[in-house]
């Protein structure tokens, strides 16, 4: 079962957001004649076809490095992860790393976008589900996470954005700025849903939705920290219980 947590947490498998080499190759073959020259977008010679295929492979290798390297950096931290550990995890030569990334810092910045932009998009989808009322969307989302955590025999939690923010925000301002931007996007998504709840009469008319969204998001970051340290679900339970009261009209 795959799950994801706004800007930080368990990951649901990415759905059609990052194209893999296999999917692109299949698309090309499906739209290519036997002569391999007439692609759906128009006539292409063998040289153009070869260029497309090379770019496809290049894109796939970059995503492989980002996916595997971010996993290593999540567990070992920024300082505990070198380029060698990243390329070993991806199964590529060390020299290949610098075809895609100028430095380890550049890798970390790109990995943040690679990891969290799809999660933010899915978060926005969950909180705009027309089948549920705005309040129900928020409560259902966190309630399902509580159920998932509770079913785990051994709760183990790792957070890429949390690890980077704690370790590197002051030392590398660019990372701190990107972490803040991602977290703020998450707050804005929640704020829009809260404003919908207010318009529907599910929240008090004088509720400050911006402040409430920031409070909920900050509280959730605290829950995630407690999960990483204590490996117990009580912080999640307490959060959901208080959230239900906060979202009462």
């Amino acid at each position: 079962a795959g799950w994801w947590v706004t800007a930080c947490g368990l990951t649901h498998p990415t759905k059609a957001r990052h194209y893999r080499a296999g999917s692109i190759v299949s698309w090309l073959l499906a739209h290519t004649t036997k002569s391999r020259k007439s692609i759906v977008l128009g006539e292409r010679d063998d040289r153009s076809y070869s260029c497309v295929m090379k770019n496809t492979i290049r894109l796939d290798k970059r995503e492989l490095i980002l996916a595997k390297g971010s996993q290593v950096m999540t567990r070992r931290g920024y300082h505990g992860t070198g380029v060698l550990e990243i390329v070993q995890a991806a199964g590529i030569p060390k020299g290949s790393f610098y075809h895609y990334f100028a430095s380890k810092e550049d890798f970390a910045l790109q990995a943040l976008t690679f990891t969290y932009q799809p999660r933010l998009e899915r978060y926005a989808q969950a909180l705009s589900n027309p089948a549920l009322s705005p309040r129900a969307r928020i409560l259902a989302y966190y309630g399902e996470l509580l159920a998932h955590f509770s079913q785990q025999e051994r709760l183990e939690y790792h957070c890429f954005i949390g690890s980077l923010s704690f370790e590197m925000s002051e030392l590398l301002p660019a990372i701190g700025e990107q972490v803040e931007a991602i977290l703020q996007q998450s707050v804005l998504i929640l704020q829009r849903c809260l404003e919908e709840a207010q318009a529907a009469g599910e929240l008090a008319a004088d509720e400050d939705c911006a402040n409430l969204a920031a409070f909920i998001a900050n509280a959730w970051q605290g829950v995630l920290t407690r999960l990483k340290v204590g490996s117990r679900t009580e912080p999640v339970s307490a959060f959901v219980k208080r959230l239900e009261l906060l979202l009462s009209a």
Side-chain angles (χ1 to χ4, degrees):
W3 295 84
W4 55 277
V5 184
T6 57
C8 187
L10 300 171
T11 309
H12 189 288
T14 302
K15 298 179 180 178
R17 288 295 180 184
H18 297 289
Y19 297 100
R20 304 298 176 185
S23 62
I24 297 179
V25 171
S26 298
W27 184 89
L28 287 171
L29 292 178
H31 294 81
T32 306
T33 66
K34 292 182 180 180
S35 65
R36 207 178 64 177
K37 292 183 179 180
S38 179
I39 300 179
V40 68
L41 298 179
E43 292 297 320
R44 300 289 187 271
D45 58 16
D46 286 348
R47 184 183 303 173
S48 297
Y49 182 90
S50 176
C51 181
V52 170
M53 298 303 289
K54 287 180 180 178
N55 288 337
T56 296
I57 294 171
R58 179 180 176 84
L59 175 63
D60 186 66
K61 184 177 290 187
R62 173 183 172 276
E63 291 190 349
L64 174 65
I65 300 171
L66 287 168
K68 296 296 185 179
S70 61
Q71 291 176 6
V72 175
M73 194 170 283
T74 298
R75 292 178 176 272
R76 301 187 60 169
Y78 185 90
H79 287 302
T81 303
V83 172
L84 181 60
E85 286 77 21
I86 293 173
V87 298
Q88 285 178 340
I92 63 168
K94 186 175 182 179
S96 297
F97 178 89
Y98 294 102
H99 285 294
Y100 305 96
F101 312 102
S103 62
K104 189 172 73 169
E105 179 182 353
D106 181 42
F107 165 83
L109 290 170
Q110 292 193 45
L112 281 168
T113 300
F114 173 82
T115 302
Y116 292 106
Q117 193 57 45
R119 297 187 190 186
L120 287 169
E121 291 172 3
R122 291 193 296 271
Y123 185 46
Q125 291 173 2
L127 266 59
S128 60
N129 179 6
L132 299 174
S133 72
R135 179 178 183 272
R137 296 169 202 162
I138 299 171
L139 295 179
Y141 171 73
Y142 290 104
E144 289 175 2
L145 286 172
L146 172 59
H148 173 76
F149 283 127
S150 300
Q151 291 171 2
Q152 291 187 356
E153 293 183 6
R154 181 175 180 271
L155 181 58
E156 184 176 352
Y157 175 75
H158 299 281
C159 177
F160 183 46
I161 200 170
S163 297
L164 277 182
S165 62
F166 290 143
E167 188 178 6
M168 300 307 301
S169 290
E170 293 184 3
L171 297 177
L172 294 176
I175 289 180
E177 291 171 4
Q178 187 151 342
V179 166
E180 178 60 27
I182 291 170
L183 295 175
Q184 186 58 33
Q185 287 182 64
S186 178
V187 172
L188 290 175
I189 291 169
L190 178 57
Q191 179 182 333
R192 286 194 291 270
C193 189
L194 290 171
E195 290 170 347
E196 289 185 38
Q198 189 175 52
E202 295 182 324
L203 286 178
D206 61 349
E207 179 64 73
D208 184 342
C209 292
N211 177 267
L212 181 58
F215 177 81
I216 293 172
N218 291 336
W220 181 246
Q221 291 303 312
V223 170
L224 298 181
T225 300
R226 290 287 304 277
L227 281 178
K228 185 176 179 64
V229 174
S231 298
R232 301 173 61 186
T233 60
E234 283 81 355
V236 186
S237 299
F239 173 88
V240 171
K241 183 177 181 179
R242 180 53 56 180
L243 184 62
E244 292 174 350
L245 295 175
L246 281 173
L247 299 186
S248 298

